[in-house]
Structures are given as C-alpha cells and as structure tokens.
Amino acid sequence: MTAGERRERALVEYRKKLMEHKEIDAKLKKMREELKDLQKDFDKSENDLKALQSVGQIVGEMLKQLTDEKFIVKASNGPRYVVGCRRQIDRAKLVPGTRVALDMTTLTIMRCLPREVDPLVYKMSHEDPGDVKYSSVGGLSEQIRQLREVIELPLINPELFLRVGKF
C-alpha cells in the first residue's frame, strides 16, 4: 500500500467519523431540548401538586404593589391584607386587578389566576343573532310593540319625549 492510498483511506475514515460526530451531536441537541420540555412539564406538575396538597387558598384581587416583595390584596371574603409572594411567581404579572390565590395560613400569593368570567355572559358575548327581523318572531306581538315603544320611538321621535320631559 502506497502513501497516497493510506492517506486516501485515512481521509475516508476521517470523513466517516466526522459524519458520525455530527449525527451524535444533532441527537444530543434534540435530547437536551426534550429534557428541557420534560423539566418544564415536571415543574408545572410539581406546582399543581403542591397547590392541591396545600391547606386551602383564598381568592383575592391585587390592589397595589408596595415594595418588590409586599403587595396589598383584597381577599374575596372582604378584608385587605399586606402579603408576600412566592419566588417562582413572575412579578410582572402582578398588576392591579389581577386575581390571585393566597395561602390560607401564611397569606402568601401562591399563583396568579385567570380573569373571572361569568360563563353565561361569555356565551352571550359570542352569540351572533344573525339577520332576525321582528316579522320572524311569532306570538310576541305585544312584547315587540313594547320594545318599539320604549327603544325605537325615543330614537326616531325625540321631540315627543322632550315635551313630556322624559328624554
């Protein structure tokens, strides 16, 4: 075997090892990302579990931030408290009006809660009445007359109500 052939074979082996290294490096990056995602899921599960195991929580509303560590919170049962906050909570989310869960024993902010929405109001806000005319509503002629009298008439003829003094 000549020196050129040995050199060529060494280059081929080197390229093969280089490709293996790149593949293993890509697998390592992928596994690290998976680990990061799993760690995030684990931390969330731990926080949820701690919340379930805790004594109890009071729902409150953030009123004001006094210092970096102290907040004024109005509890759902009435009184206002100066409270602390867990380290894991993002302070940027603690703005006036934010709903929070307070630990019942220490009155510490345990987590931020989603905005309270009445489910009935939420459902109604997404309803589209469509193109419904009074003529499409059957059997409610008296109620339709009352609606027109109370809502439409003052808008169409405001001078009638100015004379009466109701507008």
Side-chain angles (χ1 to χ4, degrees):
M1 191 185 305
T2 66
E5 290 173 344
R6 281 187 294 192
R7 184 174 185 269
E8 194 62 38
R9 189 188 309 155
L11 277 172
V12 168
E13 288 294 319
Y14 174 74
R15 287 185 188 127
K16 225 187 272 183
K17 292 291 181 187
L18 195 59
M19 291 302 288
E20 284 178 27
H21 176 71
K22 285 182 180 179
E23 288 174 9
I24 291 173
D25 197 38
K27 284 181 185 178
L28 180 63
K29 278 185 181 179
K30 184 179 175 186
M31 291 177 109
R32 282 185 178 150
E33 297 229 353
E34 287 176 9
L35 177 64
K36 200 182 294 182
D37 292 340
L38 289 172
Q39 187 66 41
K40 205 179 291 182
D41 290 346
F42 175 76
D43 290 342
K44 185 183 180 317
S45 297
E46 281 288 310
N47 287 336
D48 291 346
L49 188 61
K50 283 179 186 173
L52 287 173
Q53 291 174 339
S54 65
V55 174
Q57 295 182 343
I58 302 170
V59 175
E61 181 183 344
M62 235 297 277
L63 296 178
K64 185 178 179 183
Q65 183 170 356
L66 296 175
T67 65
D68 287 342
E69 299 298 321
K70 295 293 179 185
F71 303 88
I72 297 178
V73 174
K74 181 178 183 270
S76 58
N77 55 6
R80 295 173 184 204
Y81 299 107
V82 175
V83 300
C85 181
R86 285 178 64 198
R87 277 185 244 116
Q88 293 89 345
I89 293 179
D90 182 13
R91 303 289 196 276
K93 290 181 181 177
L94 293 174
V95 295
T98 304
R99 288 180 64 232
V100 294
L102 300 173
D103 184 277
M104 196 171 272
T105 55
T106 63
L107 293 177
T108 302
I109 297 174
M110 300 305 284
R111 70 165 88 189
C112 293
L113 298 172
R115 249 183 36 205
E116 185 174 35
V117 177
D118 184 359
L120 295 174
V121 174
Y122 182 75
K123 273 293 207 192
M124 284 188 251
S125 68
H126 291 292
E127 277 184 19
D128 181 20
D131 199 17
V132 179
K133 307 240 185 304
Y134 285 131
S135 59
S136 303
V137 182
L140 299 174
S141 56
E142 179 60 26
Q143 286 82 358
I144 291 172
R145 186 191 65 71
Q146 288 174 351
L147 271 173
R148 283 192 160 150
E149 190 176 297
V150 173
I151 296 171
E152 287 182 9
L153 197 57
L155 294 173
I156 295 171
N157 300 315
E159 66 277 353
L160 294 174
F161 292 86
L162 285 172
R163 277 188 284 155
V164 177
K166 292 185 178 180
F167 196 66

